[in-house]
Amino acid sequence: MTCVLCKEREANKKNTHFLTDGIIRSCLNLDGSKEREKGFYFDLANDNAFVEFNFQRGTSVDKLEAYLGRQVSDDEIERAKAIPFSVDYVFCSVCESYFTEIESKFIAETLPNFRNANLSETEKIAFDAVKYIRLFFYLQVWRTSICDDTLKVSEDISENLRQIILNFKSINVSDLNHFPISVTYLETVGDEQEYTTNNVGYSSDTNPNLIFFNDFVIQFYENEDAIRYFDFYGLNNSENFKELINCKEQKFLFNIFSNDKRKQFLNLFAAKNAKQLINSYADFFAKLWLKRFGVYPPSQTTQEYLKTLVGDSDFHILTYTKENIIEVTFKFLQDKIR
């Protein structure tokens, strides 16, 4: 294959993270550490009723099962061998060095203003370094759209972003700040393990394309006409929504969620997703029961089935894969038939 960035050299690079590893790693690890491949994550990119749960190959299965309150399957263990949010043989080593230069500059010069700062009383922060901040977040959007079909941008926008990233050393700010983009920073207070309460993933929605990026949330629009307000579990506020969208700006503005506001946002997101999943699984179960017995299940039976999934907390529903749900459901049905 030819590298999709330069379109000249052989795509010889393995294990290219399309979401910057230095940002997401602490979220994916069970203890919030910066070690590689020792954590788990929920695939928010899934586009159906099932939230895909995954863990990495270095994760202790005993520790994982204690956390989840259930056993992990052989299929999950097999999938854990894949490195999350990374690809092989899509980019070349030269273009990989371009990525590293952009990422390193953001991590060294901009990131400390967030992770090493007390932002509890701060609602927004502006930076002069528009070029490299935009380049960094463009990397996340463009690479993800190239490497995962879930996040979609149109062909002409993708090509524009490719040219910007390929020519990043010589490009001017005025040639790259025309895409509307909003970035919210989620202040994460506590020890390293607190980062594991954040999310990594992306939505299939467009305008904006939305990426959960550990302690950052990215909203990317293809053009100014595509800008629309949507609440998204309190991420946006109708009163300052447009103010926080960067477009043709002189300074790049970040929206700041204090630690308490971050928890409120993530809890609301998880709770509504858990409720939606519970309703989906109840409907799934009812259809199977109807197919098997010719009538819908008694409400008591449905509640008993759901109890086997959620245990003592609705949030447990988020730790199942599609395969898990099918396995648990058919076992429940078999037990009822006996």
Side-chain angles (χ1 to χ4, degrees):
M1 285 184 61
T2 302
C3 172
V4 297
L5 180 63
C6 65
K7 296 191 174 183
E8 295 178 358
R9 294 175 287 270
E10 178 188 359
N12 62 351
K13 194 72 178 66
K14 289 191 68 176
N15 188 26
T16 298
H17 286 82
F18 53 87
L19 289 177
T20 299
D21 182 56
I23 300 295
I24 69 175
R25 194 186 309 163
S26 61
C27 179
L28 301 186
N29 284 336
L30 281 169
D31 57 0
S33 72
K34 296 180 181 179
E35 296 182 50
R36 292 181 184 269
E37 303 175 9
K38 288 191 176 181
F40 64 90
Y41 56 99
F42 302 100
D43 183 0
L44 303 177
N46 194 277
D47 198 27
N48 56 38
F50 299 99
V51 172
E52 289 296 327
F53 171 80
N54 298 280
F55 64 96
Q56 301 176 78
R57 56 186 164 185
T59 310
S60 163
V61 173
D62 289 342
K63 187 174 182 180
L64 180 67
E65 290 182 346
Y67 180 90
L68 297 178
R70 68 169 177 84
Q71 290 185 323
V72 294
S73 68
D74 292 339
D75 287 342
E76 285 179 302
I77 293 173
E78 185 63 27
R79 284 199 303 271
K81 296 177 181 178
I83 298 174
F85 307 107
S86 71
V87 291
D88 296 333
Y89 307 123
V90 175
F91 306 102
C92 70
S93 55
V94 174
C95 289
E96 176 88 357
S97 70
Y98 298 164
F99 300 155
T100 300
E101 184 172 341
I102 294 169
E103 291 168 323
S104 297
K105 189 173 182 66
F106 179 87
I107 289 172
E109 298 181 9
T110 304
L111 188 61
N113 292 287
F114 295 100
R115 290 190 175 174
N116 295 339
N118 180 355
L119 302 174
S120 60
E121 302 297 326
T122 305
E123 294 184 351
K124 53 190 176 183
I125 300 179
F127 292 90
D128 293 322
V130 172
K131 176 178 175 178
Y132 272 89
I133 289 173
R134 275 192 171 263
L135 283 169
F136 178 75
F137 289 111
Y138 284 174
L139 264 186
Q140 316 310 320
V141 173
W142 181 74
R143 286 189 308 200
T144 301
S145 70
I146 291 295
C147 300
D148 193 311
D149 291 337
T150 303
L151 191 141
K152 301 177 179 67
V153 297
S154 59
E155 289 186 13
D156 58 331
I157 301 301
S158 180
E159 176 60 17
N160 196 321
L161 290 172
R162 185 186 75 85
Q163 292 290 343
I164 288 171
I165 295 167
L166 181 63
N167 300 292
F168 77 97
K169 292 185 179 181
S170 59
I171 200 165
N172 297 317
V173 170
S174 58
D175 295 322
L176 59 75
N177 69 349
H178 52 285
F179 291 120
I181 185 170
S182 173
V183 181
T184 299
Y185 179 69
L186 310 177
E187 183 187 33
T188 306
V189 177
D191 58 21
E192 290 298 312
Q193 191 169 0
E194 186 63 27
Y195 282 96
T196 66
T197 64
N198 294 332
N199 295 318
V200 178
Y202 30 89
S203 168
S204 60
D205 293 333
T206 57
N207 291 320
N209 297 106
L210 190 142
I211 299 177
F212 277 81
F213 190 42
N214 194 354
D215 42 347
F216 293 92
V217 182
I218 307 166
Q219 297 175 79
F220 175 84
Y221 297 87
E222 294 195 352
N223 53 62
E224 291 183 74
D225 291 336
I227 295 175
R228 62 183 178 86
Y229 173 75
F230 75 126
D231 176 79
F232 198 78
Y233 308 101
L235 177 64
N236 298 312
N237 185 320
S238 58
E239 294 182 1
N240 63 358
F241 171 66
K242 289 188 176 180
E243 175 194 353
L244 295 169
I245 297 177
N246 296 280
C247 187
K248 301 173 185 175
E249 75 282 4
Q250 299 300 310
K251 293 187 176 184
F252 194 95
L253 188 64
F254 287 84
N255 185 28
I256 307 296
F257 273 18
S258 67
N259 189 55
D260 288 342
K261 193 172 182 179
R262 171 187 71 92
K263 291 180 178 179
Q264 182 181 18
F265 164 60
L266 295 176
N267 285 338
L268 183 60
F269 175 77
K272 289 195 174 183
N273 274 274
K275 184 176 181 180
Q276 181 179 350
L277 284 170
I278 288 171
N279 291 336
S280 296
Y281 297 157
D283 184 59
F284 171 61
F285 173 73
K287 289 177 180 177
L288 286 177
W289 189 278
L290 176 65
K291 185 175 182 180
R292 177 63 180 81
F293 299 107
V295 295
Y296 282 104
S299 59
Q300 182 178 348
T301 303
T302 301
Q303 292 306 312
E304 184 182 346
Y305 161 70
L306 294 175
K307 187 68 175 179
T308 65
L309 295 178
V310 303
D312 58 358
S313 172
D314 287 354
F315 290 114
H316 286 160
I317 203 75
L318 298 173
T319 69
Y320 285 90
T321 64
K322 179 178 180 179
E323 291 78 11
N324 294 145
I325 292 293
I326 293 172
E327 180 182 355
V328 170
T329 303
F330 279 95
K331 184 179 184 304
F332 183 88
L333 285 171
Q334 287 172 353
D335 290 342
K336 286 295 181 182
I337 293 171
R338 289 173 186 164

